[in-house]
Amino acid sequence: MRGDCMTDLPHSPREHLRRPETRAALAIQNQILVATREYLAERDFTELLPPVIGPVTDPGSRGAKQVDIDYYGHRYKLMTSVILYKQAALLTFDKIFYIAPNIRLEPPETFSTHRHLTEFHQIDVEIAGASRDDAMAVAEGITRHAVRRVVDRAGAELAALGRSPDAFFDLVAAPFDRVAHATAVADLHGFGVPQSPDAELNWEAEKQLSRKASRPFFVTDYPKGSRGFYDREDPTIPGRLRNFDLLAPEGFGELASGGEREFEYPRLVARMRETGENPAKYAWYLDMARHGIPGSAGFGLGAERLTRYIAGLDSIWQATAYPKLPGVVSP
């Protein structure tokens, strides 16, 4: 990354869209999306069109506010994540994905993290009968395939942004490393970075771990209570979740989050109550679980975040045609 360009946020959509840097970044993003669809189609995934509104959405949004709308006299939500709908879709197909829009009113202080938008897209994948390792393999495969396609097809755009293909030498050299959450916390304490052992990695902790890495890596086994009710608790290790994050190197931070899912009705109700959620809000989802939904694993991979990393952009707003940043009112 070449420095802090947040002060260079364009004053108008016209100014932003006419920038050569914007064109280069969006051309790289196009190659990423083509590569994603190519990789998943070759492995028999079915792409579905994502829902945009629903009676409930993902409650695990790390302090971001949900957006309510009036839906014929009912309070509905704009999607912060389609995770519940991904599980539902497995009643039709065993392997599905969306390129899904999300709306999260992030706290204004996240403006300075360089990696938060209030409107963004996720490559959302779900696989029936899969394990966490299966989902991690797909997330890694998409990342590798996207990098290779960008290097092969968008070399001029990388050069225009000052990004060398050599930045990805370590990425393609070997499988991505894995580190357990507890080990990551111990490492952070050794660096002098505060991090609770019972919580998700905070933004500064993620950045510090990311800065010390030369290639993408997974953080696994988050503690129960640090994530939403849908992340499956390890049946052999109570208190530990069968989940993961994928972090990019060079300080770019989290790219993806996922894991195995709770799918049994009694477990879902218990986990909802443990996390302070009212099961009555999730009636449609729990009704499906009562009748049986497949066990599964999956993830959401940020399209703009992956673009930012591959393109070497200073800030995530450069990875979207219509930037909407926390606390900034824009068209």
Side-chain angles (χ1 to χ4, degrees):
M1 291 182 289
R2 300 181 297 281
D4 187 345
C5 71
M6 297 299 285
T7 56
D8 296 333
L9 187 66
H11 297 294
S12 71
R14 182 178 185 278
E15 178 187 344
H16 176 55
L17 291 167
R18 286 178 61 85
R19 286 183 170 189
E21 295 86 357
T22 301
R23 186 185 188 283
L26 296 181
I28 288 170
Q29 186 173 93
N30 178 64
Q31 294 297 337
I32 290 169
L33 295 176
V34 170
T36 295
R37 289 185 164 105
E38 181 179 77
Y39 181 88
L40 293 172
E42 287 175 353
R43 286 154 182 83
D44 298 322
F45 281 81
T46 298
E47 181 175 6
L48 301 178
L49 298 177
V52 178
I53 62 172
V56 288
T57 186
D58 179 0
S61 302
R62 268 181 116 169
K65 293 180 180 179
Q66 300 175 357
V67 178
D68 293 341
I69 65 167
D70 178 4
Y71 186 67
Y72 301 107
H74 296 267
R75 178 182 289 183
Y76 268 44
K77 306 282 187 182
L78 297 181
M79 288 295 110
T80 63
S81 163
V82 293
I83 185 167
L84 306 182
Y85 292 88
K86 288 196 298 181
Q87 286 184 274
L90 297 178
L91 293 171
T92 305
F93 299 102
D94 288 340
K95 301 162 76 173
I96 64 98
F97 75 100
Y98 303 113
I99 308 296
N102 295 266
I103 302 293
R104 298 181 189 177
L105 298 185
E106 300 283 358
E109 58 268 24
T110 61
F111 175 94
S112 61
T113 66
H114 297 224
R115 61 186 190 85
H116 285 87
L117 294 166
T118 60
E119 180 182 80
F120 62 96
H121 296 78
Q122 287 195 142
I123 300 161
D124 265 301
V125 173
E126 201 71 17
I127 313 163
S131 69
R132 177 183 64 187
D133 288 351
D134 296 328
M136 290 167 69
V138 175
E140 179 172 339
I142 290 172
T143 304
R144 287 174 174 274
H145 193 64
V147 164
R148 290 191 183 102
R149 185 178 179 93
V150 169
V151 169
D152 290 344
R153 305 288 184 91
E157 286 80 7
L158 287 174
L161 294 168
R163 185 66 153 165
S164 170
D166 294 342
F168 309 110
F169 177 80
D170 284 342
L171 182 148
V172 298
F176 295 172
D177 292 332
R178 302 182 182 193
V179 58
H181 177 273
T183 302
V185 170
D187 290 343
L188 288 163
H189 290 170
F191 305 150
V193 179
Q195 170 61 50
S196 168
D198 301 317
E200 281 193 295
L201 299 179
N202 62 53
W203 295 311
E204 183 60 26
E206 276 186 7
K207 184 167 70 174
Q208 293 302 324
L209 285 174
S210 175
R211 278 179 172 170
K212 294 180 181 296
S214 62
R215 55 203 312 276
F217 64 99
F218 291 103
V219 179
T220 65
D221 301 314
Y222 279 73
K224 184 180 178 182
S226 66
R227 289 285 174 88
F229 62 79
Y230 40 76
D231 277 8
R232 184 169 181 248
E233 185 176 8
D234 193 318
T236 63
I237 309 174
R240 183 180 296 178
L241 300 176
R242 295 278 298 165
N243 62 359
F244 66 88
D245 280 349
L246 173 61
L247 272 63
E250 304 174 61
F252 287 100
E254 181 191 321
L255 295 176
S257 183
E260 294 177 21
R261 313 302 189 193
E262 297 285 6
F263 64 99
E264 297 166 303
Y265 176 79
R267 294 279 307 153
L268 282 166
V269 171
R271 290 292 306 282
M272 284 178 182
R273 288 173 174 157
E274 288 171 0
T275 57
E277 287 293 320
N278 178 6
K281 293 195 311 181
Y282 298 88
W284 72 271
Y285 172 74
L286 289 174
D287 182 64
M288 286 197 310
R290 188 185 294 110
H291 287 90
I293 55 176
S296 66
F299 59 87
L301 173 61
E304 289 87 356
R305 287 186 177 184
L306 185 57
T307 303
R308 181 190 172 216
Y309 163 54
I310 294 177
L313 302 173
D314 294 297
S315 183
I316 196 165
W317 67 261
Q318 298 168 291
T320 177
Y322 310 104
K324 291 185 176 63
L325 283 150
V328 178
V329 178
S330 54

